[in-house]
């Protein structure tokens, strides 16, 4: 592993591209290897054991490619496999999840306030945000809601239209969110519908997504470990199954021609 080694990033599909994009903005000289596990999408409906098995296989691929850091750019995989991956990967790469940076951010800003949380069934049922927030600042009242239709909707390209408007209104109209000060987007797909969520709350609620805080956490780590790259970056995209939506999304986030390769996990 050296300063010029790439950063490995993975998610079930296009959601983690929101994190990859933020990393590219914050750290423009870092090379990235992105793995989208499109064959197993959505992770949010899978068991913890299944997500752990996918995550270990993906970590192997990223380690083979010499990644100095592995960013779990997925809340469902962070909730199911972060502890396991740290144990598994050990000194071969540093592992960063998307939940801890968000919990640190919220606990530094929203003490004593009500904060909503939306995410997949896997993330919400794991109770991990509630447990970590409770430890970080018990004065924050966290109100979690599973919103399982959002990932398939986004993967199918349904946003900024009537269908997405109806689905979002149905979920966010839940009385649970009547008096919240902020809403955590606890899924890396959701920044793609951030504007629609903001519109629903008419700017009354602060919308928090983890992309920038995760990129900042990565930057701090690379600086402290003296692993910042100073080379020309390269971008590589691997998918466990080829999908048109994935290719279209890489083009939106990474304007330069991206190398997209099919890499079946099994
Ligand atoms: N983007 C992911 C997350 O943050 C995965 C969603 C899914 O595949 O269900 O949870």
């Amino acid at each position: 592993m050296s300063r010029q080694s790439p950063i490995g990033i993975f998610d079930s599909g296009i959601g983690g591209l929101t994190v990859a994009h933020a990393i590219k903005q914050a750290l423009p000289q870092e090379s990235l290897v992105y793995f989208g596990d499109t064959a197993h999408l959505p992770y949010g409906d899978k068991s913890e054991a299944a997500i752990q098995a996918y995550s270990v296989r993906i970590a192997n691929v990223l380690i083979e490619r010499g990644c100095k850091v592995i960013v779990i750019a997925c809340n469902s995989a962070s909730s199911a496999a972060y502890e396991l991956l740290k144990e598994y990967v050990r000194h071969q790469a540093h592992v960063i999840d998307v939940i801890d940076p968000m919990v640190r951010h919220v606990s530094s800003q929203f003490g004593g306030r009500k904060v909503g949380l939306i995410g997949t069934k896997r993330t919400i049922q794991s109770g991990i945000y509630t447990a970590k927030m409770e430890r970080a600042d018990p004065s924050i009242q966290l109100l979690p809601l599973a919103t399982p239709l959002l990932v398939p909707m986004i993967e199918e390209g349904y946003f900024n239209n009537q269908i997405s408007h109806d689905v979002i209104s149905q979920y966010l109209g839940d009385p649970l969110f009547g008096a919240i000060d902020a809403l955590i987007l606890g899924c890396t797909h959701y920044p793609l519908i951030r504007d629609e969520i903001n519109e629903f709350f008419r700017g009354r609620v602060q919308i928090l997504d983890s992309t920038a805080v995760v990129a900042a956490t990565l930057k701090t780590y690379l600086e402290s470990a003296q692993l910042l790259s100073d080379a020309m970056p390269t971008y590589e995209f691997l998918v466990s199954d080829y999908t048109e939506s994935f290719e279209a999304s890489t083009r939106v986030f990474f304007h330069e021609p991206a190398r997209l390769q099919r890499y079946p996990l099994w």
Side-chain angles (χ1 to χ4, degrees), residues 27 101 122 160 166 186-187 189 233-234 265:
L27 295 158
R122 167 78 7 242
N160 293 319
D166 291 350
C187 172
H189 279 71
T234 59
L265 278 185

Side-chain angles (χ1 to χ4, degrees), residues 11-12 15-16 41-45 73-76 120 123 151 186-189:
D11 178 45
S12 57
L41 179 95
Y43 274 9
D45 297 346
C74 170
N75 287 260
S76 309
T120 66
T123 301
V151 167
C187 172
T188 54
H189 279 71

Side-chain angles (χ1 to χ4, degrees), residues 52-220:
Q52 288 179 341
Y54 306 149
S55 300
V56 164
R57 292 208 174 215
I58 295 168
N60 284 338
V61 175
L62 298 175
I63 289 167
E64 268 165 31
R65 281 176 152 67
C67 291
K68 57 189 173 190
V69 178
I70 295 177
V71 179
I72 310 175
C74 170
N75 287 260
S76 309
S78 293
S79 66
Y82 179 42
E83 296 305 323
L84 175 87
L85 275 196
K86 277 193 292 187
E87 190 64 22
Y88 179 76
V89 168
R90 288 186 179 248
H91 60 275
Q92 300 178 90
H94 181 70
V95 183
I96 290 179
D97 75 329
V98 286
I99 296 176
D100 285 352
M102 176 57 90
V103 169
R104 277 196 297 274
H105 175 68
V106 172
S107 60
S108 73
Q109 306 271 317
F110 293 94
R113 303 181 46 200
K114 285 190 180 175
V115 178
L117 165 71
I118 53 173
T120 66
K121 282 196 261 185
R122 167 78 7 242
T123 301
I124 301 299
Q125 282 168 8
S126 75
I128 195 161
Y129 270 97
T130 309
K132 289 190 169 187
M133 202 67 85
E134 183 71 35
R135 277 203 295 277
D137 183 349
S139 76
I140 294 170
Q141 193 182 346
L142 191 72
L143 302 163
L145 181 75
T147 50
L149 287 179
L150 297 182
V151 167
M153 182 185 90
I154 293 165
E155 284 281 333
E156 282 304 318
Y158 281 85
F159 31 98
N160 293 319
N161 65 20
Q162 191 58 46
I163 293 179
S164 62
H165 178 265
D166 291 350
V167 174
I168 290 167
S169 308
Q170 179 73 29
Y171 280 137
L172 301 185
D174 192 294
L176 190 68
F177 294 152
I180 53 172
D181 300 297
L183 179 72
I184 300 172
L185 306 188
C187 172
T188 54
H189 279 71
Y190 301 170
L192 293 162
I193 52 169
R194 191 191 164 104
D195 290 348
E196 285 178 271
I197 292 174
N198 206 17
E199 233 167 71
F200 175 86
F201 288 113
R202 297 176 198 285
R204 185 177 57 74
V205 165
Q206 278 194 52
I207 310 301
L208 310 172
D209 80 60
S210 60
T211 55
V213 286
V214 171
T217 301
L218 172 62
K219 189 171 182 183
T220 304

